[in-house]
Structure formats: C-alpha cells, structure tokens
Amino acid sequence: MRALGWLFFAFLLLYLILPMLAPVVYSFSRMWLDVLPEGFTLDWYARIARDPRYVEAGLLSLRIALMAVAINILVGVPTAYAAYTWAGRAGEGLRRLLQVLPLLVPPLVVGLGFLLAFNRPPLSLSGTLWIVVLGHAALGFPFFFRTVYAGLAGLEVGLLMEAARASGAGLWARLRYVLVPNLVPAVLSGSLVAFAISMGEFEITSMVAGFGTITLPLLLFQSLREDFRAASAVAAVLLYVTLLALLGLTFLRRR
C-alpha cells in the first residue's frame, strides 16, 4: 500500500508540475518534435528582450502590480486590523466574508462588475489604466488580507497594543512602535502574493483594459498566434516571477 501511495503521489506531482515546466523547457530548446526537446538556446529570451513590445508590456505589468500592491497595503492593513479587533459575531462574520467571498467569485464576474460599475460618470474609468489597477487590487486583496490577518492573530498584536496603551503610549506611538514593526513580515508576505497574482492576471485585464493597456499576459496571448517560441519564453518569465515570490515568502517565514 505504501508503494501504491508513493506512485499515486508521484503521478499527481507530475500532473501538476509538467504543464508548468513545459513552457520553460520549450523556451530553452531549438526544436521539440519528439518526446524530448532538441538543442539548447537562449535565442527566444533574446528575442523578447530586443522586442520593444515585450519590454513595454513587461514594464507596464510591473507598474500595475506595484500600484495594486500599494492599494492593498493602504486598504488591507486597516481592514485586517479592524476585523481583528472587532469582537462578537459581527466581527467573525466580517472576517469570514473578507477571506472567503472574493475567492468564490470568478474573475470574469469581477471583470464584468468593474466594467459596469466604472462605465458612467462620475466614475468613468473604463479603458483606463486605473480600472486595471483596481481590478488587480481586488483580485489580490483576499490573499493579502488573509496573510496580514494571520500575522495579527499569530503575534497577538491586540494584547501588545493594549499593554502599550496601559504603559502610557499614545495612539501614534502604539502604531509606530508596536503595530507597524510587528506587521512588516506579514505585509511583505501578502505583498509578494498580490504582486505575483497581478503579474500573471489575464481574465480581468482582458475585459477592462483599453487598447493602449497591453500587459505581459495579454501580449502573451496575442503571441500564441504569431510566435509560439517567444510566447513560451514570456510564460517562463511569468513563472520565474511566481517562483521568486515563493522564495521570498519562504525566506520571510524562516526569518
């Protein structure tokens, strides 16, 4: 039975990892006609590095991701602290709602909601960069919120804040010397997750972005018809970003 269990685990691992590794292997190969690829090359990475379309799309995706992370920090940290300190059934209901509800709504529904909500004055943001940023921030918010809330609960920041207040520390001193230093690891972890999600987001972006907002995932989709090799290199780059975020999370947790 143990051997059967290990065999099932290996099959499951292969089933999950193989689709992610295929673009990486393809991006380094000269051709792939049989079971195994042939040759090794960096030409496809050099091609996307020389093409201004991919460079501009990559920089735009990076800019949108950073702006979405900034919005999550400004909104998510106070929301997580309010949910943490709100006692009773109302507080518990708010915590469960913020943690679960956004994950249950498909990204296509979120994109359609943003398209309808920001399509008329005075919130005419349709087709602009800002609606893409807000959509990415909304998609990454539940992951950011869960991480920050777990940091609050694990460190018992509420007790530390109460002890600081009892010692005579004012509100600003409690926020500066107690809350912020203890929340930095959780905020950084949540920011890395939200950043990785934003860099690879396609569904919401394809619905709300204007013609002048071409992110790297959108350009990747267009490249599938033009240059499959370059598209594989772009997909590999997005996977590298996710792996770097995962390594950053691992490092923060060990620290």
Side-chain angles (χ1 to χ4, degrees):
M1 288 298 294
R2 178 175 296 183
L4 184 62
W6 279 109
L7 182 62
F8 178 77
F9 176 76
F11 174 79
L12 181 61
L13 194 63
L14 184 65
Y15 172 76
L16 295 175
I17 294 180
L18 187 60
M20 293 186 291
L21 289 182
V24 178
V25 175
Y26 197 69
S27 66
F28 286 110
S29 64
R30 292 192 177 276
M31 61 180 62
W32 196 350
L33 302 177
D34 298 324
V35 178
L36 297 177
E38 300 178 8
F40 176 84
T41 181
L42 296 175
D43 291 345
W44 319 121
Y45 290 95
R47 179 178 298 182
I48 65 175
R50 290 193 303 263
D51 194 329
R53 297 180 306 162
Y54 293 103
V55 176
E56 292 175 4
L59 293 176
L60 181 61
S61 294
L62 179 62
R63 178 185 173 191
I64 291 174
L66 292 176
M67 294 171 69
V69 168
I71 291 176
N72 274 324
I73 292 175
L74 293 176
V75 177
V77 173
T79 304
Y81 184 72
Y84 175 76
T85 56
W86 196 354
R89 293 185 177 179
E92 183 64 25
L94 176 64
R95 290 189 287 271
R96 292 184 177 180
L97 181 67
L98 292 175
Q99 290 181 9
V100 177
L101 182 61
L103 299 176
L104 300 179
V105 181
L108 288 176
V109 176
V110 176
L112 180 60
F114 271 86
L115 197 62
L116 296 175
F118 297 99
N119 196 35
R120 296 173 180 83
L123 300 175
S124 300
L125 298 178
S126 235
T128 65
L129 179 67
W130 278 107
I131 193 172
V132 179
V133 173
L134 293 175
H136 284 211
L139 192 64
F141 176 81
F143 301 94
F144 181 87
F145 174 84
R146 289 164 66 95
T147 305
V148 175
Y149 182 82
L152 285 167
L155 293 172
E156 297 185 350
V157 176
L159 294 178
L160 297 177
M161 293 283 284
E162 183 64 24
R165 188 186 68 83
S167 300
L171 176 61
W172 174 248
R174 296 198 302 271
L175 293 176
R176 180 179 178 183
Y177 296 108
V178 178
L179 181 62
V180 172
N182 282 282
L183 273 187
V184 167
V187 171
L188 289 178
S189 299
S191 299
L192 287 173
V193 175
F195 178 82
I197 291 173
S198 177
M199 286 295 294
E201 209 294 313
F202 173 78
E203 294 175 287
I204 293 178
T205 311
S206 63
M207 295 186 66
V208 303
F211 293 103
T213 307
I214 306 297
T215 61
L216 203 55
L218 291 182
L219 188 57
L220 166 62
F221 182 74
Q222 297 175 7
S223 300
L224 291 176
R225 301 177 180 179
E226 303 171 3
D227 192 343
F228 202 79
R229 298 284 189 175
S232 298
V234 174
V237 169
L238 293 175
L239 180 60
Y240 301 153
V241 171
T242 304
L243 292 177
L244 287 175
L246 179 61
L247 290 175
L249 286 174
T250 305
F251 174 77
L252 289 174
R253 287 174 180 174
R254 289 183 177 180
R255 294 282 294 182

